[in-house]
């Protein structure tokens, strides 16, 4: 959190497509050294990984959320992710609703809150960005609920400004 991309290792792709620190060299009795990749992340925090060639012509990118913050009920699923390193905003994404279904988004952060009526898309999804900051508070508790005919999904989480 709070920093830009950083190089972590020189890497090679071996003949089997595995990522290694060095390629095998039988003439010099050198074996391959696989990269042991570990991720440290907070709840709902996306981690981004890039593999690039030295000249930048070959690139592969991936995003993973190792510890997702999500709720499921039947076919409905609701997830939160923090797209910004500062954790001052998050993206709420829901799926599995009936096409065009009426949704009521309920949100509370500190002493502030409210409700908003909206609708699922024609494919039964819903996505929005939410800023849970409260003026004069550096951190606190927040909650999110999305009651619908298909299901009622709720979150309680900590936030910081």
């Amino acid at each position: 959190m709070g920093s830009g991309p950083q190089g972590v290792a020189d890497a090679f792709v071996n003949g089997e497509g595995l990522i290694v620190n060095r390629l095998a060299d039988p003439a010099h009795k050198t074996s391959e050294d696989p990269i042991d990749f570990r991720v440290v992340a907070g709840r709902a925090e996306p981690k981004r990984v890039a593999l690039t060639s030295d000249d930048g012509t070959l690139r592969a990118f991936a995003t993973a959320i190792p510890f997702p913050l999500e709720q499921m009920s039947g076919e409905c699923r609701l997830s939160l992710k923090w797209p910004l390193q500062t954790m001052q905003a998050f993206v709420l994404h829901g799926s599995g609703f009936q096409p065009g279904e009426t949704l009521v988004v309920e949100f509370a952060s500190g002493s502030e809150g409210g409700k908003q009526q909206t609708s699922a898309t024609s494919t039964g999804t819903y996505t929005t960005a939410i800023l849970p900051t409260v003026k004069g508070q550096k951190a606190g508790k927040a909650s999110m609920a999305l009651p619908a005919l298909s299901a009622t999904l709720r979150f309680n989480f900590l936030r910081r400004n």
Side-chain angles (χ1 to χ4, degrees):
M1 295 290 292
S3 66
Q6 301 172 11
V8 293
D10 286 333
F12 304 93
V13 179
N14 71 9
E16 297 172 359
L18 298 176
I19 300 169
V20 296
N21 281 330
R22 66 175 176 245
L23 295 172
D25 184 356
H28 294 96
K29 298 182 181 174
T30 304
S31 61
E32 292 181 344
D33 183 18
I35 292 180
D36 185 18
F37 187 74
R38 293 191 177 125
V39 174
V40 176
R43 295 278 314 222
E45 179 186 357
K47 289 295 183 175
R48 294 169 185 89
V49 177
L51 295 173
T52 61
S53 61
D54 287 338
D55 64 3
T57 58
L58 301 173
R59 301 181 300 249
F61 302 94
T63 300
I65 302 175
F67 309 105
L69 187 56
E70 58 189 6
Q71 294 286 321
M72 294 181 73
S73 179
E75 296 294 316
C76 296
R77 176 180 168 167
L78 191 63
S79 62
L80 286 174
K81 76 175 178 178
W82 302 100
L84 303 174
Q85 292 178 343
T86 60
M87 294 178 70
Q88 292 179 342
F90 63 85
V91 173
L92 173 72
H93 178 75
S95 62
F97 301 106
Q98 296 298 314
E101 180 175 355
T102 299
L103 308 172
V104 178
V105 180
E106 300 172 0
F107 179 74
S109 184
S111 60
E112 299 178 3
K115 291 182 182 183
Q116 178 183 7
Q117 184 171 319
T118 188
S119 299
T121 65
S122 61
T123 59
T125 63
Y126 173 73
T127 302
T128 191
I130 297 180
L131 297 135
T133 58
V134 176
K135 187 174 181 178
Q137 295 181 1
K138 292 188 178 191
K141 295 180 180 179
S143 64
M144 170 61 89
L146 201 140
L149 293 174
S150 299
T152 296
L153 302 163
R154 298 185 185 282
F155 284 113
N156 293 308
F157 57 95
L158 300 176
R159 54 129 181 104
R160 67 178 192 207
N161 295 359

